[in-house]
Amino acid sequence: MTSPATGSPTPYGLKFTFQDPEGMSSGFVLQVYALADFANLPDGVPSAIATLQTLLDPAAGAFVPPPPTGESLLLPDWTAPVLFQDAFRVIDFQNGRGVSYFAQYSHSVDPISSLIYTFTGLTSDGLYYVTL
């Protein structure tokens, strides 16, 4: 697998694409990657992982502001820059913690026309990166 943004290799992981009863993609994709696999890449662990770890600090509270730089926390293959992000909501799941938010991504300056729901998190043991 190769990242379209940098041309660097990306780790292998699990990818689940959800479909409706007619077999059409619903647009929901769940991906799980081992963090150790990111560490073995030529570029190393992306800075978005450290940003996510900071956001998930239990002292941060239920709502945390998005990174001021507009840094995308979607890894590894989201290439469009962030145009808009709302406040991040911290959500605990059975084996970890993550942030959910709505955002718009685009390569041009477009009016906000459709928001994408995003969830990005880490497992409690710190071994896996999860995104939806």
Side-chain angles (χ1 to χ4, degrees), residues 52 56 89-93 96-100 119-122 130:
L52 183 59
L56 297 178
R89 291 153 196 83
V90 177
I91 297 177
D92 292 322
F93 59 97
R97 181 168 227 208
V99 292
S100 71
F119 175 83
T120 304
L122 299 169
V130 179

Side-chain angles (χ1 to χ4, degrees), residues 26-58:
S26 66
F28 292 107
V29 177
L30 171 68
Q31 294 174 292
V32 180
Y33 297 94
L35 285 181
D37 291 344
F38 279 106
N40 294 328
L41 296 177
D43 295 339
V45 177
S47 63
I49 297 294
T51 302
L52 183 59
Q53 289 167 331
T54 302
L55 292 171
L56 297 178
D57 181 346

Side-chain angles (χ1 to χ4, degrees), residues 54-104:
T54 302
L55 292 171
L56 297 178
D57 181 346
F63 291 93
V64 293
T69 60
E71 176 183 19
S72 176
L73 300 178
L74 291 177
L75 302 172
D77 58 0
W78 197 268
T79 62
V82 177
L83 290 183
F84 167 82
Q85 290 177 327
D86 70 346
F88 289 5
R89 291 153 196 83
V90 177
I91 297 177
D92 292 322
F93 59 97
Q94 183 174 353
N95 295 316
R97 181 168 227 208
V99 292
S100 71
Y101 56 96
F102 287 95
Q104 180 163 345

